[in-house]
């Protein structure tokens, strides 16, 4: 199996079957007993709607484990969901951000083994994204991958099957959602939830000016009266709200290019930058990156799934990966 354990969504790939699970990385559990009530899509529907004794949380923050026990339960749920009891201890490839520390890597490995995996190998997300997008990463050619997820954004330059240079910033789709929430509180005295903010971003959010600009009805609670309120929000306002996180991401891309060796930079300027991850689906984002860097930009065929697809393709080489990198097994 291969698992893309993301801050926003978890995708599972099973050898010979393809992608079999794509669900939110959310777990609803009892705060007193720790008993898990729901995982994935069922748990996401509970966010902001649970009684006091049940909390619906995301156990990963910025691409790494924030709650070990809940992550273990979530992994166990997904493994058991797709495998029968006779194959309950699979060999597992797990995607990890390129900027994680050794302690954070160890946490992912330990959680995977505790959830039932027989052996675990970590693969860096930019490498997996490049494989899933169909790039030949084994060539002595520089390739740049930008992967924007819910909690992290990664920029990596790949050559000869490895990462020559990488940068990871803990800014992603959730920071954009939080920026929209803050803007509405400050400018319209309107309180909204995280799911509403994400819906606004998808509906009228953009990285560049739209022709024509758009508006959307937004419902929330007025901070002064405390009553349900509806406003008309303009796309220009959303673009201004998410401008800060977008600027951080673009600056990180430019910094990575500045530090790239000249020969690899020439390859990237010729072949372009690959965009992957759900955050790159923001309207106008490819155009913004192309304008800021002066380099051609192309979107992966399936930005949301190319990381787990690449990890799944790497399953055929599990033994070679284990010999060349870190792999841990059950004692």
């Amino acid at each position: 199996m291969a698992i893309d354990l993301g801050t926003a969504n978890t995708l599972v790939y099973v050898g010979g079957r393809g992608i079999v699970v794509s669900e939110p990385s959310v777990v609803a559990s009892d705060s007193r007993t720790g008993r898990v009530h729901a995982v994935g899509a069922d748990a996401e529907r509970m966010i902001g709607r649970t009684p006091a004794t049940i909390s619906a949380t995301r156990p990963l923050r910025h691409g790494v484990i924030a709650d070990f026990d809940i992550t273990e339960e979530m992994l166990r749920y997904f493994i058991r969901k797709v495998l029968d009891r006779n194959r309950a201890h699979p060999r597992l490839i797990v995607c990890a951000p390129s900027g994680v520390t050794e302690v954070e890597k160890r946490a992912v490995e330990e959680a995977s083994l505790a959830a039932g995996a027989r052996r675990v190998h970590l693969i860096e997300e930019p490498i997996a994204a490049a494989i899933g997008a169909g790039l030949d990463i084994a060539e002595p050619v520089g390739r740049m991958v930008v992967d924007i997820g819910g909690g992290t954004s990664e920029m990596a330059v790949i050559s000869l099957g490895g990462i020559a240079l990488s940068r990871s910033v803990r800014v992603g789709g959730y920071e954009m959602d939080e920026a929209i929430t803050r803007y509405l509180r400050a400018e319209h005295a309107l309180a909204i939830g995280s799911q509403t903010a994400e819906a606004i971003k998808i509906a009228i959010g953009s990285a560049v000016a739209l022709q024509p600009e758009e508006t959307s009805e937004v419902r929330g609670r007025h901070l002064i009266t405390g009553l349900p309120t509806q406003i008309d929000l303009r796309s220009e306002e959303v673009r201004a709200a998410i401008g800060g996180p977008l600027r951080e991401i673009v600056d990180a891309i430019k910094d990575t290019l500045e530090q790239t060796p000249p020969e690899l930079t020439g390859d990237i300027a010729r072949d372009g930058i690959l965009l992957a991850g759900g955050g790159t689906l923001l309207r106008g984002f490819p155009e913004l990156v192309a304008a800021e860097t002066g380099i051609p930009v192309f979107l992966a065929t399936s930005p949301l799934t190319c990381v787990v697809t690449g990890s799944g393709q790497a399953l055929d080489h599990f033994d070679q990966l284990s010999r060349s990198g870190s792999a841990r097994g059950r004692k």
Side-chain angles (χ1 to χ4, degrees), residues 39-329:
V39 178
D42 292 338
E44 186 183 46
R45 287 194 288 270
M46 298 181 183
I47 293 179
R49 299 182 175 93
T50 58
T53 57
I54 298 176
S55 61
T57 59
R58 298 183 183 275
L60 290 101
R61 290 292 298 170
H62 302 299
V64 297
I65 294 175
D67 189 317
F68 184 90
D69 293 332
I70 296 297
T71 302
E72 179 188 324
E73 290 291 342
M74 185 174 73
L75 281 168
R76 182 177 287 113
Y77 166 84
F78 287 129
I79 289 172
R80 289 180 176 175
K81 181 173 182 177
V82 300
L83 294 183
D84 58 48
R85 290 176 182 266
N86 296 327
R87 299 175 60 205
H89 299 297
R91 295 189 304 172
L92 188 62
I93 288 181
V94 182
C95 303
S98 59
V100 298
T101 64
E102 287 301 318
V103 172
E104 290 166 341
K105 287 181 182 178
R106 184 77 175 264
V108 175
E109 291 170 345
E110 293 287 355
S112 301
L113 292 171
R118 184 169 78 248
R119 295 185 69 200
V120 182
H121 178 79
L122 301 188
I123 185 171
E124 292 161 310
E125 288 179 2
I127 293 281
I131 295 171
L135 297 184
D136 186 353
I137 63 170
E139 293 181 341
V141 174
R143 317 273 192 185
M144 186 168 188
V145 179
V146 176
D147 180 11
I148 300 176
T152 58
S153 295
E154 298 189 72
M155 305 80 200
V157 177
I158 299 169
S159 180
L160 287 169
I163 293 180
L165 181 73
S166 70
R167 173 117 186 243
S168 181
V169 292
R170 300 202 166 182
V171 178
Y174 285 140
E175 278 62 39
M176 296 183 205
D177 298 343
E178 290 169 6
I180 292 170
T181 301
R182 289 194 300 270
Y183 179 88
L184 284 169
R185 291 179 74 91
E187 299 297 325
H188 295 279
L190 190 71
I192 61 170
S194 58
Q195 289 176 301
T196 301
E198 183 181 24
I200 292 168
K201 179 183 68 181
I202 293 170
I204 60 171
S206 67
V208 297
L210 298 177
Q211 298 294 336
E213 297 290 354
E214 301 172 5
T215 60
S216 177
E217 293 181 351
V218 179
R219 296 179 180 86
R221 175 174 55 83
H222 200 280
L223 294 175
I224 298 173
T225 66
L227 299 175
T229 305
Q230 176 178 306
I231 65 165
D232 288 328
L233 188 65
R234 302 191 315 276
S235 56
E236 306 101 290
E237 295 180 272
V238 177
R239 191 161 57 252
I242 64 177
L246 280 176
R247 175 46 50 191
E248 283 190 62
I249 293 169
V250 171
D251 286 347
I253 294 171
K254 293 167 75 173
D255 289 345
T256 305
L257 285 168
E258 288 172 7
Q259 296 170 26
T260 302
E263 292 294 340
L264 297 180
T265 303
D267 296 336
I268 295 166
R270 180 192 66 223
D271 298 333
I273 299 171
L274 170 69
L275 300 183
T280 60
L281 294 173
L282 179 72
R283 282 187 291 178
F285 183 76
E287 290 83 352
L288 175 66
V289 175
E292 290 278 347
T293 61
I295 294 173
V297 173
F298 62 101
L299 204 59
T301 305
S302 181
L304 287 168
T305 63
C306 67
V307 171
V308 75
T309 300
S311 305
Q313 291 172 8
L315 286 171
D316 296 335
H317 309 283
F318 189 95
D319 292 331
Q320 294 97 304
L321 288 169
S322 299
R323 286 194 294 268
S324 63
S326 65
R328 304 195 63 217

